[in-house]
Amino acid sequence: MKTDPPHILCVNPWIHDFAAFDFWAKPLGLLSLAAILRENGLKISYLDCLDRFHPRQDPPAKIQWDGRGPFRKTPIPFPEELQALLPEVGQPFSRYGIEPEWFYQDLNDMPRPDLIFVTSMMTYWATGVRETIESVKQVFPKVPVILGGIYAGLCQDHASAHSLADRVIAGPGESCLKSLIKEFTGFNLRFIPDPDDLDTFPFPALDLQHHLAYAPIMTSRGCPFACEYCAASFLEPTLRRRSPDNVFKEIQHWHREYGVKNFAFYDDALLVKGNSHAFPLFEQLIDSKMELNFHTPNAVHIREITPKAANLMFKAGFKTIRMGLETTDFSQDRHHDIKVREDEFFRAVENLKSAGFDPKQLGAYLLCGLPGQDLEEVAASMALVKKTGILPVLAYYTPIPHTPMWEDAVKNARFDITRHPVFTNNTLFPCVRSDKDLNRISQLKNMKN
Ligand code: B12
């Protein structure tokens, strides 16, 4: 007797935060897994709690020219038991994303799934994940829920204890997909892509969304660097790349089939080994004359911005360039990694300007709020970046478990950040100790670019 293939519901959870905005944020990992399951003939449903284009959104969501836009926002109380641990959190807290009523309605309107996949992003959005799973379980109390993603990978114990998921998976999902589906549904997946060959992966199932205002693109997994504050190399220990041709075909697909014009690169090291990787892709994009817009919200490496890279990026249609500068304290004794020298930064900016970029399209990320950081260093960095005419963009430090800087952050924090991931939220500036420094940060934040 032939049985129907299982029905998997994939869910992108709500965000609970002090502030949030759709800066090209899509659950690429979950949609990549959904694509593999779909390729195996499984029935896939997708509910996105962050959907800016939910059919019940009235008036329709605003879309910026580059695809970005605000999430729907509902004020909610800061979780009571956490407020008791940290009374100083007095700031307004919100749920970002669709109305819970819409979510319940969508759940009630669908046939009962056999298994539910929930993803997660920032560790400090843990309470949003819990609220999502709680809601899903109210409608489908007997359906197992599996949680994966960044929070699940970085805080597996916390997620196992508090998320309400039946199983918490750390790390890339592709490697355990077959056994999970077998265990929970009895179904045998025939096709699993080769983890060492990213070209064997189907394109992520971005088409499950109501509307594609932009598409995230990842040309590689992993990062060749191991910066002290960053979890990338813990999350994806090996660097693997897609072929330029495979990436080109994906961009062409979203553009031709869905009219997508804006693409955000999610790579940790887009320009590294550019001659064999990014440059042939940019050349293909230029030749195609598709006239697309590209953005690098996750920053590119300054050392890699040679005249050739800058020219190709300009001609290919890059519109928003963010560079990972981190600091302009280029002294040897500073306490975190040095990836770039002062002259290299100036040269990169010059290369981009000479290629044709308007300085307004260019920004340099500066880390702010690191353990023990002298905030005058941040102020000096901002001044130096402004001198080049480009935007200094402050990136507020969030302590991340499993990073080399975590222990330092725990020791330096004003309060105990190990009690709950929400306490690592960068809005709280956990590693900034004195009122004087907190005030200085507010000043720096308000110094308009
Ligand atoms: C792309 C990216 C972004 C994008 C947006 C991404 C998004 N979806 O929202 C942009 C550039 C906007 C961004 C912004 C920021 N980011 Co960011 N970002 C990343 C990055 C580079 C990749 C994430 C990604 O999409 N990976 C690709 C997919 C394929 O992988 P994945 O989602 O992990 O999914 C896989 C597995 O997790 C698993 N999986 C996922 N879901 C599920 C579900 C199930 C059921 C299963 C079984 C498995 C599973 O399988 C998937 C496939 O292998 C990561 C670093 C990294 N290398 O992971 C940092 C990272 C997530 N960001 C980080 C940070 C700090 C930030 C910022 C706060 C930076 C700042 N200080 O300003 C901002 C704030 C974002 C915000 N508030 O909206 C931190 C997270 C910190 C934390 N505490 O959690 C990371 C880890 C980098 C770091 N510094 O260590 N980011």
Side-chain angles (χ1 to χ4, degrees), residues 34 37 50 54 67 75 80 126 134 144 149 162 167 189 191 200 211-212 238 288 290 311 320 327 357 396 438:
L37 296 175
L50 300 182
H54 191 280
E80 208 180 313
E134 200 170 21
H162 300 282
R167 181 75 59 83
L189 296 182
F191 161 73
T200 62
H211 177 68
L212 282 75
T238 51
S288 76
M290 285 191 285
N311 278 316
T320 319
T327 176
F357 282 101
Y396 305 119
L438 286 168

Side-chain angles (χ1 to χ4, degrees), residues 17 19 21 23-30 32-33 117-125 146-150 154 169 171-174 176 180 218 221 229-232 235-236 266-268 297-298 365 394-400 403 424 426:
D17 206 333
F21 187 83
F23 290 110
W24 298 295
K26 285 282 167 260
L28 187 57
L30 181 68
S32 304
L33 299 179
F117 274 16
V118 178
T119 191
S120 58
M121 269 300 287
M122 302 296 145
T123 52
Y124 49 81
W125 292 343
I146 304 183
L147 174 68
I150 309 267
L154 294 173
I169 301 290
E174 292 80 4
C176 56
L180 278 177
M218 206 153 188
R221 296 265 187 109
Y229 55 82
C230 180
L235 292 164
E236 283 272 6
Y266 273 12
D267 295 67
D268 281 307
N298 199 32
Y365 283 131
L394 293 183
Y396 305 119
Y397 172 63
T398 166
I400 311 175
T403 58
T424 63
N426 52 12

Side-chain angles (χ1 to χ4, degrees), residues 182-215:
K182 179 78 187 159
E183 179 184 344
F184 285 96
T185 72
F187 189 83
N188 260 319
L189 296 182
R190 288 164 292 106
F191 161 73
I192 288 289
D194 174 359
D196 295 323
D197 180 0
L198 297 184
D199 284 3
T200 62
F201 284 52
F203 299 154
L206 302 183
D207 53 288
L208 290 171
Q209 304 172 93
H210 285 121
H211 177 68
L212 282 75
Y214 60 84

